[in-house]
């Protein structure tokens, strides 16, 4: 009888469990290695480079000068107190003896105080003479505006009467109207005419029309300075008399 099959392969079969265990460990290691793969973040990482500020410049120290030493004030000299002289002793009556030449008399005379000279007050400084203020010239009198305005109006009326013209034409030569026309007109300060009109008619259209033409033909001068209260315009009236020649 031959050798059993299992007994013949007993050694390979004995190593079979260890091979299975090794294979299981290898498979477990492969799975663990697949789990430990590197995880990459899909978002890119931005790295910003910041420039460091320059180091502060050291400022030089300012040395403050030491405070000045106090200067001692000079001492005031004390005025010497006047020494009172002792009163001269009264002479004691003694028996009269013959005078003897001594030197006490001149010494006593020199010891007598001399009367002090009276002090005269210091002369006051002379006052400087003040110059009188120059006289203020009187203000010029205001111009007589009423007289100026009346003269200007008289010039206007004289000018109008000098340039007026009697109406011409067949109708005027046949009717020969005669009368006075009172006109009004407004002037600016430069003498230009603003508007005009008939204030008093002569009951003749020919004479009224001739008065209007006289105003249009006239060249007026400007207002005098200060006349009519510095108004921009002024209204005037004039009476024109027309007589057939």
């Amino acid at each position: 009888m031959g050798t059993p099959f299992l007994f013949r392969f007993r050694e390979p079969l004995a190593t079979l469990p260890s091979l299975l265990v090794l294979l299981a460990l290898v498979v477990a290691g492969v799975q663990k290695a697949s789990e430990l793969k590197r995880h990459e973040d899909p978002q890119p990482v931005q790295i910003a480079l910041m420039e460091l500020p320059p180091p502060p410049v050291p400022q030089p120290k300012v040395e403050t000068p030491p405070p000045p030493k106090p200067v001692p004030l000079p001492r005031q000299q004390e005025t010497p107190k006047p020494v009172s002289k002792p009163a001269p002793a009264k002479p004691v009556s003694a028996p009269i003896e013959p005078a003897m030449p001594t030197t006490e008399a001149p010494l006593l005379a020199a010891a007598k105080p001399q009367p002090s000279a009276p002090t005269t007050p210091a002369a006051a400084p002379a006052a400087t003479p003040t110059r009188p203020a120059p006289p203020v010239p009187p203000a010029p009198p205001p111009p007589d505006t009423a007289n100026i305005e009346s003269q200007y109006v008289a010039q206007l009326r004289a000018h109008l009467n000098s340039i007026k013209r009697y109406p011409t034409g067949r109708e005027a030569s046949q009717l020969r109207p005669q009368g006075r026309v009172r006109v009004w007109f407004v002037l600016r300060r430069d003498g230009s005419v603003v508007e005009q009109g008939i204030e008093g008619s002569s009951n003749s259209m020919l004479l009224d029309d001739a008065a209007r033409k006289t105003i249009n033909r006239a060249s007026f001068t400007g207002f005098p300075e200060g006349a009519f209260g510095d108004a921009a315009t002024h209204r005037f009236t004039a009476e024109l008399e027309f007589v057939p020649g």
Side-chain angles (χ1 to χ4, degrees):
M1 186 176 180
T3 305
F5 178 78
L6 297 174
F7 181 78
R8 189 182 300 175
F9 296 97
R10 63 180 181 278
E11 292 180 0
L13 291 175
T15 59
L16 183 60
S18 60
L19 292 175
L20 293 175
V21 172
L22 181 61
L23 182 60
L25 292 175
V26 170
V27 171
V30 170
Q31 292 179 355
K32 190 68 175 178
S34 63
E35 291 179 359
L36 294 177
K37 285 183 178 180
R38 183 178 180 182
H39 180 70
E40 296 182 357
D41 194 357
Q43 297 181 356
V45 178
Q46 297 181 357
I47 300 174
L49 299 178
M50 297 179 63
E51 185 178 357
L52 296 177
V57 180
Q59 297 182 357
K61 295 183 179 180
V62 180
E63 297 182 359
T64 57
K69 297 181 180 181
V71 179
L73 298 176
R75 294 181 179 180
Q76 296 182 356
Q77 297 180 358
E78 297 181 357
T79 56
K81 295 181 180 181
V83 180
S84 59
K85 295 182 179 181
K90 294 181 179 181
V92 180
S93 59
I96 299 173
E97 295 181 356
M100 299 292 292
T102 58
T103 59
E104 293 180 0
L107 292 176
L108 291 176
K112 291 182 179 180
Q114 298 292 334
S116 59
T119 57
T120 58
T128 57
T130 57
R131 296 182 179 179
V136 180
D144 189 1
T145 56
N147 188 22
I148 295 174
E149 293 172 1
S150 61
Q151 291 180 3
Y152 181 73
V153 173
Q155 292 177 2
L156 295 182
R157 292 173 180 172
H159 175 64
L160 292 175
N161 283 293
S162 64
I163 65 172
K164 68 181 178 180
R165 297 292 182 268
Y166 189 82
T168 59
R170 183 177 180 181
E171 186 178 1
S173 61
Q174 289 178 356
L175 298 177
R176 296 179 65 83
Q178 180 179 353
R180 294 181 178 180
V181 183
R182 188 173 183 83
V183 295
W184 65 268
F185 51 96
V186 179
L187 300 181
R188 295 188 182 94
R189 296 200 68 85
D190 59 354
S192 57
V193 180
V194 179
E195 54 182 343
Q196 60 167 326
I198 302 298
E199 186 173 325
S201 176
S202 63
N203 298 325
S204 173
M205 294 180 61
L206 296 174
L207 299 181
D208 293 349
D209 188 42
R212 293 191 186 93
K213 290 180 180 179
T214 302
I215 299 298
N216 295 331
R217 195 185 307 117
S219 57
F220 301 104
T221 59
F223 296 175
E225 185 178 357
F228 309 111
D230 294 335
T233 59
H234 191 74
R235 187 177 185 272
F236 300 92
T237 59
E239 191 175 47
L240 304 177
E241 184 177 5
F242 294 91
V243 178

